[in-house]
Amino acid sequence: MKTLHLQTRAEEMADITAQVQAAVDESGVAEGLCCVYCPHTTAALTINENADPDVARDILYALGQSFPPHAAFRHFEGNSAAHVKASVLGAAVTVPVQAGRLGLGRWQGIFFCEFDGPRTRQYTVTVLGTAQNAQPAP
Ligand code: ZN
């Protein structure tokens, strides 16, 4: 398992696909699963289009429209909207690893989603599977 860090803006979807692929490269796994996990309560992970940056912008816009700050929220920190957005998207994504590459679709990328920044955040990448040069047992 590898722990990676990033510095976030107030709210953003940071494309971490290259960093996750580098962790897969480092693991030496050729065929298996890659689990990316976010250990925060106001940040999340999601997979979506990274070809047009307006898609990520529109997702943030839609989440903001759907889950605005609300006077009825009781949480003392005042960031319940960020907690709700994080729960809606989820804390982990799992991607198949095929021939040493993340098995993402052509237009897909992995995003670290910040809803209560700026902060220094972290996430973990765990890669499980068969190594590149694995030989069958004698
Ligand atoms: Zn809070």
Side-chain angles (χ1 to χ4, degrees), residues 4-52:
L4 297 163
H5 296 83
L6 77 166
Q7 182 63 48
T8 62
R9 298 194 294 270
E11 185 170 76
E12 71 171 309
M13 286 174 61
D15 187 344
I16 58 169
T17 310
Q19 290 86 340
V20 175
Q21 179 61 58
V24 172
D25 294 346
E26 197 175 303
S27 76
V29 167
E31 302 291 328
L33 290 174
C34 174
C35 179
V36 187
Y37 180 75
C38 166
H40 303 290
T41 60
T42 54
L45 294 164
T46 196
I47 294 174
N48 214 298
E49 175 170 339
N50 66 355
D52 177 0

Side-chain angles (χ1 to χ4, degrees), residues 14-113:
D15 187 344
I16 58 169
T17 310
Q19 290 86 340
V20 175
Q21 179 61 58
V24 172
D25 294 346
E26 197 175 303
S27 76
V29 167
E31 302 291 328
L33 290 174
C34 174
C35 179
V36 187
Y37 180 75
C38 166
H40 303 290
T41 60
T42 54
L45 294 164
T46 196
I47 294 174
N48 214 298
E49 175 170 339
N50 66 355
D52 177 0
D54 278 342
V55 173
R57 193 207 68 86
D58 289 350
I59 290 171
L60 290 176
Y61 175 77
L63 287 169
Q65 292 293 112
S66 302
F67 308 107
H70 201 291
F73 285 154
R74 294 171 61 169
H75 175 44
F76 71 98
E77 279 189 312
N79 61 353
S80 283
H83 286 289
V84 173
K85 292 173 191 174
S87 266
V88 166
L89 292 193
V93 295
T94 302
V95 181
V97 175
Q98 301 157 334
R101 305 294 302 172
L102 288 168
L104 293 165
R106 180 175 179 185
W107 306 111
Q108 287 183 321
I110 304 170
F111 292 90
F112 186 97
C113 307

